[in-house]
Amino acid sequence: MTTTPATTPVPTPHPTLSAADPELAALIGAEERLQSDTLRLIPSENYASSAVLEASGTVLQNKYSEGYPGRRYYEGQQIIDQVERLAVARAKAVFGVEHANVQPYSGSPANLAVYLAFARPGDTVMGMALPMGGHLTHGWSVSATGSWFRGVQYGVRADTGRIDLDEVRDLALKERPKIIFCGGTALPRTIDFAGFAEIAQESGAVLVADIAHIAGLIAGGAHPSPVPYADVISTTTHKTLRGPRGAMLMSRAEHAKALDKAVFPGLQGGPHNQTTAAIAVALREAAAPSFRDYAHAVVANAAALADALRARGYDLVSGGTDNHLILIDLTAKDVPGKTAAKALDRAGIVVNYNTVPYDPRKPFDPSGIRIGTPSLTSRGLSTEHMATVAEWLDRGITAAKTDNEAALLELRTEVADLLSAYPAPGLPV
Ligand SMILES: *Cc1c(COP(=O)(O)O)cnc(C)c1O
């Protein structure tokens, strides 16, 4: 047995979070219970695995690494360079691209980098209108992208709820945008990347496929890939891809330099290395055969849920879904989207209120709700559960209409009961 010399300094305590900050630890515990007990139907959310969560909470976050592997402005990058190279190699393999940049902090900064690479302030850019299902960063007026650039916007047809490529072509040829974005946040249908690429070519624009919502479906072969049609692919990593909150830009080799320069030093400083590591983990998961099953199950669940909702008389934008997302127009049910969303939340069913195309109501109190199946599929729910989920939604929406608080509470218990048999990835059991 050795005795401690008297000169040894008192060791620094390394308290756990619950010892160091019980108040915050309690909040995180409460959030874990909320995510465990509720049916999370927000289509942009998911449950990251324990491995992804573990990588994102590591000492990698202690490092400054401005630059790219082998070309950093800081020393001490022996390990970080390997981490980033691994993430890049996995991104290239999963999506079949020549170039990948894994440093964008999130989807919005990734899109800003695309503007920086391919346009100058005042240039015309084109994207889908936000109330039609596009994203703020596709040139919508309230976004920096709509005030620093001249945003022209396409939508969906009123009769079909779908994008009409002839209308997109007419607008592109008339406006001659520098950049055309395809993709969005409330699009229940497959995106025709080849069709968009033809239009971009005819009008001399750079085509950006923003696959933030559907990246996991593409990685798993459950949605067509924008490769080789899009000049640039922008994606978040935390939606269907089930990684940490982050983003990636991908392209053919010819655009590699412009994109890298735009991300750093154009727009960002040091990359979030812990996120880069967690992206690498998520991409390894996405390359596994089980992820193909996951992606196809997400789509099968959405199709089954859409069928069950239609059978209950719900009006779905575009009539249904091809992907993970369903946009319900509640106009005929005579319940505003916000009223429905808030009531469902009290019933333990988490959705978001959303505009529907040509919505006569205001964006802060619109006619629809947006739902999706990525999270419930991560828990292992399958097509046989979708009739129950549709029934729950119907009961919640009916209770919202009749102000039946007791029915909502009863529903909340039922939801938590069923979900307790389907533990969520990344959460303590
Ligand atoms: C989510 C999303 C983004 C933005 O991602 P953030 O990480 O929230 O900035 C961009 N484009 C599309 C299509 C999205 O769905």
Side-chain angles (χ1 to χ4, degrees):
M1 224 187 106
T2 55
T3 50
T4 311
T7 51
T8 302
V10 177
T12 320
H14 299 291
T16 59
L17 180 62
S18 53
D21 191 340
E23 191 180 3
L24 195 86
L27 287 174
I28 293 173
E31 176 64 27
E32 285 170 349
R33 279 192 300 283
L34 194 62
Q35 291 190 23
S36 180
D37 294 348
T38 55
L39 183 70
R40 301 172 56 232
L41 293 178
I42 300 203
S44 51
E45 291 187 349
N46 213 327
Y47 292 98
S49 69
S50 302
V52 164
L53 294 178
E54 192 179 334
S56 63
T58 55
V59 296
L60 300 183
Q61 76 96 39
N62 295 343
K63 308 281 292 187
Y64 245 104
S65 314
E66 283 179 343
Y68 291 98
R71 297 176 282 139
R72 305 281 192 190
Y73 291 83
Y74 291 74
E75 299 311 316
Q77 306 300 320
Q78 295 84 351
I79 309 302
I80 296 297
D81 275 5
Q82 296 181 58
V83 170
E84 187 167 334
R85 284 197 172 110
L86 199 53
V88 168
R90 288 176 181 174
K92 284 157 73 171
V94 165
F95 289 96
V97 289
E98 291 173 0
H99 177 67
N101 184 312
V102 297
Q103 294 194 7
Y105 299 142
S106 213
S108 303
N111 285 346
L112 281 183
V114 174
Y115 288 91
L116 191 57
F118 297 106
R120 289 291 157 262
D123 281 351
T124 299
V125 298
M126 192 166 137
M128 193 171 198
L130 180 71
M132 293 279 182
H135 191 261
L136 279 166
T137 56
H138 297 182
W140 188 244
S141 54
V142 301
S143 151
T145 63
S147 53
W148 294 344
F149 301 92
R150 188 178 150 265
V152 296
Q153 312 267 285
Y154 58 88
V156 295
R157 288 179 63 104
D159 54 347
T160 60
R162 293 178 188 238
I163 294 169
D164 181 335
L165 283 181
D166 291 332
E167 285 180 13
V168 176
R169 176 180 285 104
D170 289 347
L171 191 63
L173 292 177
K174 176 166 159 262
E175 302 286 355
R176 297 281 167 180
K178 279 272 175 56
I179 303 175
I180 297 175
F181 279 89
C182 61
T185 63
L187 303 182
R189 295 297 180 176
T190 301
I191 298 167
D192 181 356
F193 296 119
F196 270 100
E198 244 176 57
I199 294 168
Q201 196 145 41
E202 284 169 41
S203 58
V206 169
L207 178 66
V208 182
D210 184 345
I211 61 166
H213 261 258
I214 54 176
L217 305 185
I218 291 168
H223 186 291
S225 168
V227 179
Y229 305 111
D231 296 297
V232 177
I233 300 167
S234 173
T235 187
T236 57
T237 47
H238 48 272
K239 298 180 185 174
T240 49
L241 195 57
R242 221 160 52 175
R245 299 200 80 84
M248 307 193 290
L249 288 170
M250 298 178 279
S251 70
R252 286 190 289 273
E254 64 180 295
H255 298 309
K257 212 165 163 190
L259 288 173
D260 284 356
K261 263 180 65 186
V263 172
F264 175 85
L267 200 66
Q268 298 190 168
H272 294 179
N273 297 312
Q274 76 283 10
T275 302
T276 304
I279 288 174
V281 174
L283 288 167
R284 188 188 159 109
E285 291 175 355
S290 58
F291 197 85
R292 290 189 79 79
D293 299 341
Y294 168 68
H296 285 93
V298 166
V299 173
N301 279 340
L305 182 54
D307 283 347
L309 286 166
R310 265 194 313 264
R312 289 179 177 275
Y314 282 88
D315 182 8
L316 311 183
V317 171
S318 83
T321 180
D322 299 325
N323 54 28
H324 64 302
L325 184 149
I326 298 168
L327 191 54
I328 307 176
D329 185 344
L330 291 171
T331 307
K333 294 283 181 183
D334 202 22
V335 191
K338 197 176 189 173
T339 308
K342 291 200 170 296
L344 287 167
D345 192 47
R346 296 200 293 283
I349 300 171
V350 189
V351 308
N352 69 275
Y353 58 86
N354 212 97
T355 54
V356 296
Y358 305 98
D359 204 323
R361 301 176 64 90
K362 297 241 156 45
F364 197 61
D365 189 14
S367 300
I369 56 172
R370 189 184 69 148
I371 61 174
T373 52
S375 298
L376 65 78
T377 307
S378 289
R379 296 188 79 145
L381 268 63
S382 60
T383 50
E384 73 218 34
H385 298 108
M386 294 308 115
T388 305
V389 172
E391 188 217 312
W392 286 345
L393 283 164
D394 191 27
R395 273 165 59 194
I397 291 164
T398 305
K401 200 169 156 180
T402 53
D403 246 335
N404 188 345
E405 235 13 75
L408 294 175
L409 286 180
E410 194 181 311
L411 192 50
R412 190 177 185 102
T413 310
E414 230 174 281
V415 168
D417 273 354
L418 188 137
L419 290 178
S420 65
Y422 296 88
L427 295 189
V429 194

